[in-house]
Amino acid sequence: MMSQMRHFSLKMNDGHTIPVLGLGTSAPSQVPKSETEMAIKRAINIGYRHIDSAHLYQNEEEIGRAIQMKIADGTVKRDDIFYTTKVWGTFFRPELVQTNLERSLKKLQMSYVDLYLLHHPEALQAGEDFFPKDAHGNIIFDTVDLCTTWEAMEKCKNEGLTKSIGVSNFNCKQLERILNKPGLKYKPVCNQVECHPYLNQSKLLEFCRSHDILLVAYATLGSDARKKWVIKNKPSLLQDPVLNAIAEKHRRTPAQVALRYQLQRGVVALAKSFNEKRMKENFQVFEFELTPEDMGSLDGLNRNMCYLQDLFSGHTDDASYGDD
């Protein structure tokens, strides 16, 4: 039974499926890009088939090279891989949405991605700067209607450049703007957000469920403090005594318990590690099950605490912008 679960997937509202465990690829700037390439090859060898990246992460050439190598050596076929990329806010003008995707596809050496997400709800001034700023150092936003950006996403799906489309870092009100759009062709299949036992997103999860939208969790194990967008001096999730007691009871690692918690809630979990031992451990999340009591204890850890700051305001009210 466990071997059958290794590539367990959930069905999305457009009929496509998404593997419930994915590899996050956002890394601190000091990590060499070559490490990303090696990590993807290792991950595919271990059994990961869901890989999450973005234009913002500036690593898609390395990821594409690694995937193409694993296809060439017969380990996988393109259809075996579920690949996610994201459109950054500087490409939110409708005429630029497809341009962003085509750039990613060229770097990846792919003709399509499996999932294309709006990376965040804010449109930024178009241009090559990821964070365009004025003379006073303030972010320059753009006046783009999210609904017109979404229509351009729908066009990418219609043209076969992506199989599915969704959003990331959206709250309920922002999701409703798209869901209530006149002439909506495709609902978002998912909303990718920071989610872990200290920030379990229970209200957002319930809202998404009610609209047949999957929640995809990043920073599932906390986050790497070396990243510039991570808030410093936050308590370490993986050192939490309740999490560790449950891990000890099941003879598992705290990371495995944190990931299993998400899967049992029906949440797709992204785990970010380039360490081969931890990648293997994280992939063993299908080999045990948490009890209802365990799940209740983990629910009780929620403190609505973000590890990642809102890059555009410096606070953490609604959203954060990397995966882990």
Side-chain angles (χ1 to χ4, degrees):
M1 187 184 86
M2 292 304 174
S3 61
Q4 290 174 338
M5 291 181 68
R6 285 205 176 275
H7 302 302
F8 184 65
S9 298
L10 288 173
K11 185 170 271 194
M12 300 183 289
N13 62 40
D14 65 353
H16 293 297
T17 57
I18 181 170
V20 294
L21 181 66
L23 184 79
T25 63
S26 167
S29 56
Q30 57 264 50
V31 174
K33 294 284 188 269
S34 57
E35 272 195 41
T36 302
E37 189 173 330
M38 288 299 300
I40 298 301
K41 288 192 273 193
R42 274 191 219 111
I44 291 172
N45 288 338
I46 289 166
Y48 289 86
R49 297 294 180 261
H50 176 178
I51 297 162
D52 181 277
S53 190
H55 173 66
L56 177 68
Y57 306 162
Q58 302 179 71
N59 59 12
E60 292 194 295
E61 277 185 42
E62 291 76 15
I63 292 172
R65 209 156 42 231
I67 292 172
Q68 297 306 326
M69 283 176 165
K70 298 318 294 178
I71 291 171
D73 73 12
T75 306
V76 289
K77 298 191 282 289
R78 171 63 186 94
D79 288 353
D80 297 327
I81 299 293
F82 186 100
Y83 184 83
T84 301
T85 192
K86 310 178 189 83
V87 56
W88 186 242
T90 52
F91 289 85
F92 271 23
R93 291 186 183 179
E95 68 272 19
L96 298 178
V97 170
Q98 187 168 320
T99 303
N100 188 106
L101 180 51
E102 286 170 346
R103 282 190 185 187
S104 288
L105 290 171
K106 187 175 180 183
K107 290 175 182 175
L108 293 160
Q109 305 170 63
M110 292 179 185
S111 60
Y112 70 91
V113 296
D114 297 274
L115 181 58
Y116 193 31
L117 305 179
L118 295 178
H119 203 147
H120 55 83
E122 293 91 351
L124 305 175
Q125 178 182 267
E128 293 306 312
D129 288 341
F130 285 116
F131 298 97
K133 293 179 181 176
D134 63 20
H136 304 288
N138 301 312
I139 291 285
I140 306 172
F141 295 95
D142 203 351
T143 53
V144 180
D145 183 350
L146 265 182
C147 290
T148 63
T149 306
W150 187 254
E151 285 170 5
M153 297 285 282
E154 292 178 325
K155 187 180 174 195
C156 290
K157 176 175 166 65
N158 282 339
E159 295 192 5
L161 298 175
T162 180
K163 289 188 172 182
S164 301
I165 52 176
V167 299
S168 180
N169 301 303
F170 275 51
N171 59 30
C172 297
K173 284 183 181 175
Q174 290 156 346
L175 272 169
E176 280 179 332
R177 281 179 62 191
I178 291 176
L179 292 170
N180 295 332
K181 187 186 89 65
L184 183 72
K185 290 190 185 76
Y186 307 113
K187 287 199 298 187
V189 295
C190 69
N191 184 17
Q192 186 185 121
V193 295
E194 178 178 351
C195 185
H196 42 76
Y198 285 170
L199 179 71
N200 70 21
Q201 301 278 17
S202 57
K203 287 182 181 174
L204 183 60
L205 176 58
E206 197 52 47
F207 176 86
C208 287
R209 275 185 187 146
S210 72
H211 292 279
D212 196 18
I213 295 169
L214 289 176
L215 204 69
V216 178
Y218 67 75
T220 50
L221 311 177
S223 199
D224 189 334
R226 293 176 298 171
K227 292 181 182 177
K228 62 185 177 184
W229 53 80
V230 171
I231 303 163
K232 311 306 177 196
N233 304 315
K234 291 277 185 171
S236 167
L237 172 69
L238 297 184
Q239 291 176 10
D240 184 272
V242 172
L243 189 65
N244 276 266
I246 293 170
E248 195 173 326
K249 182 177 83 170
H250 290 277
R251 297 183 181 178
R252 297 288 167 177
T253 67
Q256 287 171 332
V257 171
L259 290 171
R260 183 72 205 186
Y261 169 68
Q262 301 293 2
L263 302 195
Q264 288 187 212
R265 302 167 81 214
V267 173
V268 175
L270 300 176
K272 160 62 177 59
S273 178
F274 288 177
N275 176 288
E276 188 168 13
K277 178 175 178 285
R278 288 197 291 273
M279 288 164 84
K280 285 179 178 174
E281 287 174 350
N282 292 343
F283 199 70
Q284 292 164 356
V285 72
F286 303 108
E287 297 174 5
F288 71 105
E289 192 167 342
L290 298 171
T291 66
E293 292 75 24
D294 296 333
M295 292 296 289
S297 297
L298 293 167
D299 282 337
L301 294 180
N302 184 58
R303 50 181 85 174
N304 294 322
M305 189 198 87
C306 294
Y307 281 104
L308 291 99
Q309 65 181 327
D310 179 337
L311 295 181
F312 306 115
S313 64
H315 59 69
T316 55
D317 288 352
D318 295 318
S320 43
Y321 300 99
D323 71 34
D324 217 346

